[in-house]
C-alpha cells in the first residue's frame, strides 16, 4: 500500500483545509458561482463615466498574489482573460461584530492557487490600477499543491517562464496557469482549425467521421499500433490515415468530404513527430493535383491571416510567407540541384550506389521508392524554407496515386514543404481498380522483404473502386506542424496539450 509523501507546504495547506472544514466552511462548494464579467473586459472598458455599468460585478478566478496590509488585502486573481486586482477591506467584507470569516478564510485560509469568487464594484486605485472593491467573497476550491513561483511585471506578464520540458509537458495543467503565452498557442490552434473549417464549409465540403479502429491499416506508409477486439477475437489497428475511407465516400456519391483525423503511428518521437497526431484530409471529385495546389495556397493564406492577421509567420530567425503563389519543383530536379545526381532513370542498385556516395544508410528492405525518399529527406528537404510544392514523384513512392499524364514512371503527386518539413501531401487519386490492385501487390512484396511501413492490401477498398470512383484529388495536412509554423513553436510537443511521454517514475 503506497503512502503519499507531502512537502512542508503541502502539509500546511492540508492543515488549513481541515481548519476551514472545522469552521463550517466548505472548501469545495457544489453551487454554481454566477460570473458576470472577466478581467480584460473590465480593464479595457471601465472609465469613471461608465462606472454605473460596473457597479455590480461578479468575477471568479485563481489567486495569483496576496498582499496582506492588515485589515486590507490586495489579491490578484487570474481568469480566462488575465489578471485583475481585488481590494478587500475587513470591515466591509464582515461589517458586523463577527470577523470569523475574515480570520478563517481571508487572513489564514487563502493560498496562492486557490479559486475564489467575489462580487463588488469596479474602481481605480490611487496608483491607477483598475480593481474590484470586494463586497462578498466565496472560496470555490482549495489548492493543496503550491504553484511554481514565476516573476511578473506590473501588468502581470511573466518574464521568467518555466521552461523545463519534463515539467511543462507532463504537468500541462500547471504550465497553462503560470505561462500565459502557452495558452495563446492553443487558442491560435483552435483559430486555425476554425479557419480551415470555414474555408471548406464555404466551398460546400461535408465534414465526416471515419473509423479509428480499422481491420486494415491503410492510406499511408507507416507502422501501425496493434490492438485486439475481444468480442470478435480479431486484431485491429489504430488508424494511420483515413484516406481509404474518405475515398469510399467519394465512390458513394459525395463530391467533397473532409475530416480532422486523430492518427496513430508506432514510430519514433522527435521535435516534429508524436505517435498520436492530427491530420486534415479532404477529397474532391472531378479535380486534379493542379487544382489542389491552388486550393492549398488559398486555404493557407486565409488560415495565416485568421490566426495572426498577416500572411507572414516568424519561426526563429526565419520569416515565412504564406502569400500565394508557391514555387513548384519536381522531386528529381530537387535531388539533382542539391546532390548533383540525376536519379531519374536509375535502377534500385543504381540508387543504392548514389546513397553510398552520399553517405546515406540503406538496408535490404528498401525498394526504389524508399531509396529516393531517403535521398530527398536527407539531402534536399531542409533547403525548402518558404512554402514550396515538390511535385511528380516516382510511381514506386506513391501506391495510391494516378500515373502522370505526360511523364513516364511518375505520378501526379505533390508534397508541400515549409521550413524544411513536409506539411501536406496530395495526389490526383488513382481510381483504376486494376492498377490499384497491382500497386497493392507490389506493397505486399515490400512487406515480405521486411518493410514495416509498406501498405497492406485492402480488398474492400479495391471492391469499392470496382464500383467506380470519379476522378478526384485528395490532400492530407499535418495540423500539428502547421500550428508550429503559425505560432513559432520549435517542437510538436509545444502545440499538443498532452504529448506522449515515458511513464512517470513513482517514488
Amino acid at each position: 500500500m503506497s503512502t503519499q509523501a507531502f512537502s512542508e507546504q503541502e502539509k500546511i495547506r492540508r492543515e488549513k483545509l481541515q481548519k476551514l472544514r472545522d469552521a463550517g466552511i466548505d472548501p469545495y462548494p457544489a453551487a454554481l458561482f454566477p460570473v458576470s464579467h472577466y478581467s480584460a473586459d473590465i480593464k479595457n472598458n471601465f472609465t469613471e463615466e461608465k462606472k454605473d455599468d460596473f457597479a455590480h460585478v461578479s468575477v471568479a478566478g485563481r489567486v495569483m498574489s496576496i498582499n496582506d496590509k492588515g485589515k486590507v488585502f490586495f489579491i490578484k486573481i487570474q481568469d480566462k482573460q488575465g489578471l485583475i486586482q481585488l481590494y478587500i477591506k475587513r470591515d466591509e467584507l464582515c461589517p458586523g461584530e463577527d470577523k470569523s470569516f475574515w480570520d478563517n478564510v481571508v487572513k489564514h485560509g487563502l493560498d496562492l492557487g486557490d479559486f475564489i469568487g467575489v462580487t463588488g464594484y469596479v474602481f481605480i486605485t490611487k496608483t491607477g490600477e483598475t480593481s474590484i472593491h470586494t463586497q462578498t467573497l466565496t472560496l470555490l476550491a482549495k489548492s493543496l499543491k503550491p504553484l511554481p513561483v514565476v516573476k511578473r511585471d506590473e501588468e502581470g506578464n511573466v518574464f521568467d517562464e518555466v521552461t523545463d520540458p519534463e515539467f511543462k509537458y507532463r504537468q500541462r495543467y500547471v504550465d497553462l496557469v503560470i505561462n500565459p503565452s502557452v495558452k495563446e498557442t492553443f487558442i491560435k490552434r483552435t483559430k486555425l482549425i476554425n479557419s480551415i473549417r470555414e474555408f471548406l464549409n464555404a466551398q460546400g465540403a461535408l465534414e465526416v467521421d471515419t473509423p479509428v479502429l480499422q481491420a486494415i491499416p491503410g492510406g499511408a506508409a507507416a507502422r501501425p499500433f496493434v490492438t485486439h477486439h475481444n468480442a470478435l477475437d480479431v486484431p485491429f489497428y489504430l488508424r494511420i490515415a483515413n484516406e481509404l475511407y474518405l475515398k469510399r465516400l467519394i465512390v458513394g456519391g459525395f463530391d467533397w468530404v473532409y475530416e480532422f483525423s486523430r492518427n496513430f503511428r508506432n514510430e519514433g518521437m522527435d521535435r516534429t513527430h508524436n505517435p498520436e497526431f492530427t491530420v486534415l484530409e479532404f477529397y474532391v471529385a472531378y479535380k486534379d493535383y493542379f487544382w489542389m495546389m491552388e486550393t492549398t495556397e488559398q486555404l493557407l493564406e486565409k488560415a495565416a491571416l485568421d490566426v495572426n492577421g498577416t500572411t507572414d509567420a516568424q519561426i526563429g530567425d526565419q520569416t515565412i510567407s504564406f502569400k500565394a503563389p508557391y514555387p513548384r519543383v519536381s522531386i528529381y530536379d530537387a535531388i539533382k540541384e542539391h546532390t548533383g545526381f540525376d536519379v531519374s532513370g536509375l535502377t534500385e542498385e543504381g540508387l543504392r550506389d548514389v546513397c553510398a556516395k552520399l553517405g546515406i544508410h540503406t538496408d535490404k528492405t528498401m525498394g526504389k521508392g524508399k531509396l529516393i525518399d531517403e535521398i530527398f529527406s536527407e539531402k534536399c528537404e531542409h533547403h525548402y524554407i518558404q512554402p514550396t510544392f515538390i511535385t511528380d514523384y516516382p510511381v514506386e513512392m506513391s501506391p495510391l496515386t494516378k500515373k502522370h499524364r505526360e511523364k513516364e514512371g511518375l505520378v501526379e503527386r505533390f508534397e508541400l514543404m515549409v521550413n524544411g518539413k513536409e506539411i501536406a501531401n496530395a495526389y490526383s487519386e488513382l481510381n483504376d481498380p486494376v492498377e490499384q490492385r497491382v500497386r497493392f501487390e507490389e506493397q505486399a512484396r515490400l512487406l515480405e522483404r521486411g518493410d514495416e511501413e509498406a501498405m497492406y492490401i485492402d480488398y474492400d477498398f479495391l471492391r469499392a473502386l470496382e464500383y467506380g470512383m470519379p476522378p478526384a484529388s485528395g490532400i492530407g495536412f499535418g495540423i500539428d506542424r502547421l500550428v508550429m509554423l503559425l505560432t513559432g513553436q520549435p517542437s510538436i510537443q509545444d502545440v499538443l496539450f498532452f504529448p506522449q511521454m515515458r511513464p512517470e517514475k513513482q517514488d
Side-chain angles (χ1 to χ4, degrees), residues 159-183:
F159 58 89
D160 68 338
E161 289 192 2
V162 175
T163 57
D164 174 34
E166 173 71 16
F167 174 83
K168 284 169 63 68
Y169 304 149
R170 200 176 292 285
Q171 298 188 49
R172 180 69 84 191
Y173 38 86
V174 182
D175 185 36
L176 289 163
V177 173
I178 62 174
N179 293 330
S181 63
V182 174
K183 202 171 188 178

Side-chain angles (χ1 to χ4, degrees), residues 27-28 38 57 134-135 147 164 202 209 211 213 216 228 231-232 234 240-241 276 285 294 325 327 339 351 406 424 429:
Y28 305 101
Y38 296 95
V57 301
T134 302
Q135 294 169 315
L147 294 169
D164 174 34
D209 288 309
L213 284 176
I216 299 290
H228 188 82
L232 297 178
V234 293
I240 56 175
E276 178 181 359
E294 294 173 1
T339 70
L351 288 168
E406 295 172 353
E429 299 296 334

Side-chain angles (χ1 to χ4, degrees), residues 66-169:
I66 300 174
N67 187 358
D68 180 354
K69 297 291 188 181
K71 294 181 182 180
V72 172
F73 269 51
F74 292 92
I75 292 177
K76 288 189 177 179
I77 62 170
Q78 179 170 284
D79 63 13
K80 69 177 185 177
Q81 291 184 348
L83 293 169
I84 193 161
Q85 179 172 270
L86 312 178
Y87 171 82
I88 309 172
K89 195 172 182 180
R90 186 192 70 171
D91 293 339
E92 292 190 23
L93 193 68
C94 302
E97 291 295 317
D98 184 3
K99 308 297 184 186
S100 59
F101 181 83
W102 173 269
D103 293 333
N104 291 327
V105 178
V106 181
K107 191 78 174 176
H108 301 297
L110 284 185
D111 288 300
L112 300 186
D114 291 354
F115 280 90
I116 60 174
V118 302
T119 62
Y121 61 88
V122 181
F123 76 112
I124 298 176
T125 66
K126 292 177 182 178
T127 59
E129 183 161 359
T130 302
S131 305
I132 297 172
H133 193 122
T134 302
Q135 294 169 315
T136 70
L137 183 150
T138 306
L139 177 62
L140 301 176
K142 183 74 188 152
S143 168
L144 299 183
K145 275 188 176 293
L147 294 169
V149 176
V150 296
K151 295 176 183 175
R152 298 174 185 263
D153 61 20
E154 288 299 314
E155 284 72 46
N157 299 310
V158 174
F159 58 89
D160 68 338
E161 289 192 2
V162 175
T163 57
D164 174 34
E166 173 71 16
F167 174 83
K168 284 169 63 68
Y169 304 149

Side-chain angles (χ1 to χ4, degrees), residues 108 140 233 436 478 501:
H108 301 297
L140 301 176
D233 193 25
Q436 184 64 81
M501 300 186 73

